[in-house]
Amino acid sequence: MYSDLIPRFQIRQNATLLAIESSCDETAAAVVRNGREILSSEIISSCKEHIRFGGVVPEIASRAHTSAISLATEKAIANAGISLNDLDGVCVTYGAGLLGALLVGVSYAKSLAYALSVPLVPVSHIRGHLAAAYLCDDTLEPPFVSLLASGGHTAIILVDADYSYRVLGSTMDDAVGESFDKVARVLGLEYPGGPNVEKLAREGKNVVPMPKMLKGVGGYSFSYSGLKTAVINYVHHAEQTGEEYSRADVACSFQHAAIDILAEKALEACEQSGYRTLTVGGGVAANGYLRETLTNMCTDKSVKLVLPPKVLCTDNAAMIGAEGYLQYRRGNFSDLSLNASARVGLG
Ligand code: KG4
Ligand code: ZN
């Protein structure tokens, strides 16, 4: 039985791990060595299939994963220049995300781990986003401060020397990525919202008044629902009264309000904790304005910024391999009863 093998698996320092990610609309597979070196990273996206529905349709995403997962994995193995027998383990996102979508990756990873008699490593998607930083800086070791800015989460976390997490604060309502997506809809922009808001914002000015976003108050908590409502009210009011308004100015002003607070609180956490390194993870970390703002602020305050390239900020499997390696080293293996979870905690 597979479960009898688990206590006997050897944990290697030099581990080559396959990682599989299928939590939303990207089917991704990657081969990562020692949690640091990307040997291959493949992404097959069903994004275009969701555009006409204005957001990800879970059923369509699940079917797309089922079609794409073998191809993504085969390409990842081939492009890494290895064979399946060279793998020391299979890591897989088990949550958070869309249940049906997650189940495709989980089932596939289970079959592969069973067939190869290697450890099956369950990985949290959220921790994966944070672990992307290890893939772009060989020397990165905790302690450091992490800013998580994704579609489902917004938080500031202290990562201590033993790799444990202390969540300093998180959002009390919407996540920052979610607010980009909702504002995109109000402005009539296509899915995916975030990148389209960013594009439109480049043509506008920061002149539309926005809420203060818990600036200087609320500790490390965030609140994005008031910002979203302010944008909705502004647009509806202008439309009802027939007033001319600039969608680009709204996008730009919203983006400033949504992003400035992230940068401000992240740098405050560095100041207060005394940790002089800041890492950033999650889809919103692909936002050019956030990247520029953090780069400038970290330079001013002499904080080392570890900012993964954009492809490692949005969903990918390499980040799952990076976090998977940390779990693998601890022997956090699962048996074949592993299930998917729509929600997982931050800790
Ligand atoms: O981190 P992610 O995969 O979400 C979760 O795992 O929860 O990223 C998706 C989120 C979406 O809300 C998307 O709109 C946002 O990241 N996003 C962006 C940009 N690219 C992706 N938001 C703002 N600017 C971008 N360039
Ligand atoms: Zn994600």
Side-chain angles (χ1 to χ4, degrees):
M1 289 244 301
Y2 180 82
S3 51
D4 298 332
L5 294 178
I6 295 177
R8 287 188 267 137
F9 282 137
Q10 277 190 11
I11 299 174
R12 297 180 210 282
Q13 172 97 38
N14 278 314
T16 303
L17 302 177
L18 172 71
I20 289 175
E21 152 67 38
S22 70
S23 65
C24 193
D25 57 346
E26 259 92 38
T27 315
V31 178
V32 177
R33 189 171 283 154
N34 300 339
R36 297 276 182 174
E37 190 191 347
I38 304 174
L39 302 189
S40 64
S41 181
E42 307 300 321
I43 301 174
I44 301 174
S45 179
S46 64
C47 176
K48 290 206 171 88
E49 293 179 51
H50 306 284
I51 291 177
R52 68 194 172 104
F53 301 103
V56 178
V57 181
E59 187 75 20
I60 293 175
S62 306
R63 285 163 178 254
H65 288 309
T66 304
S67 308
I69 197 153
S70 283
L71 180 61
T73 306
E74 281 164 17
K75 280 171 89 174
I77 296 293
N79 290 340
I82 62 164
S83 78
L84 283 173
N85 290 326
D86 296 320
L87 292 175
D88 296 305
V90 179
C91 311
V92 63
T93 305
Y94 71 95
L98 304 170
L99 266 184
L102 288 162
L103 283 169
V104 178
V106 167
S107 304
Y108 192 87
K110 277 190 203 180
S111 323
L112 210 49
Y114 175 70
L116 299 173
S117 294
V118 295
L120 172 67
V121 186
V123 177
S124 146
H125 182 83
I126 306 161
R127 292 184 75 110
H129 272 303
L130 292 172
Y134 293 113
L135 296 168
C136 57
D137 182 340
D138 280 353
T139 62
L140 178 67
E141 293 292 346
F144 50 77
V145 174
S146 278
L147 168 63
L148 172 63
S150 76
H153 289 84
T154 310
I156 293 183
I157 297 156
L158 291 186
V159 183
D160 287 316
D162 61 359
Y163 291 83
S164 65
Y165 282 12
R166 272 186 286 160
V167 181
L168 289 186
S170 56
T171 183
M172 300 187 289
D173 37 61
D174 294 351
V176 58
E178 193 180 353
S179 76
F180 267 89
D181 296 333
K182 287 178 176 166
V183 163
R185 227 168 279 164
V186 177
L187 294 176
L189 299 169
E190 275 186 348
Y191 172 82
N196 287 330
V197 171
E198 179 183 359
K199 215 159 135 199
L200 181 62
R202 272 189 231 125
E203 295 158 25
K205 295 188 289 295
N206 180 18
V207 291
V208 179
M210 293 285 159
K212 287 203 166 50
M213 300 298 299
L214 298 182
K215 264 202 175 134
V217 296
Y220 295 102
S221 298
F222 298 93
S223 171
Y224 279 94
S225 79
L227 178 61
K228 169 197 66 188
T229 309
V231 172
I232 293 173
N233 288 345
Y234 181 87
V235 170
H236 285 178
H237 181 263
E239 279 167 2
Q240 275 159 12
T241 55
E243 264 171 55
E244 288 240 329
Y245 74 98
S246 155
R247 283 161 68 250
D249 286 351
V250 174
C252 180
S253 309
F254 158 77
Q255 181 170 264
H256 271 83
I259 298 291
D260 288 350
I261 192 73
L262 293 175
E264 184 188 294
K265 295 206 177 198
L267 266 298
E268 178 65 28
C270 295
E271 203 73 27
Q272 269 197 359
S273 65
Y275 294 174
R276 307 308 296 165
T277 301
L278 173 66
T279 74
V280 195
V284 181
N287 180 278
Y289 176 66
L290 175 62
R291 298 173 77 84
E292 190 189 308
T293 306
L294 282 175
T295 303
N296 293 338
M297 285 175 80
C298 286
T299 306
D300 280 358
K301 303 264 179 191
S302 304
V303 167
K304 177 180 165 182
L305 176 65
V306 181
L307 190 55
K310 291 181 185 184
V311 285
L312 292 178
C313 294
T314 47
D315 286 351
N316 66 89
M319 69 183 196
I320 302 303
E323 175 62 21
Y325 179 75
L326 297 177
Q327 300 302 327
Y328 168 88
R329 295 285 295 159
R330 287 181 208 143
N332 285 341
F333 306 149
S334 178
D335 61 25
L336 298 180
S337 66
L338 178 65
N339 212 334
S341 252
R343 290 175 192 277
V344 299
L346 270 179

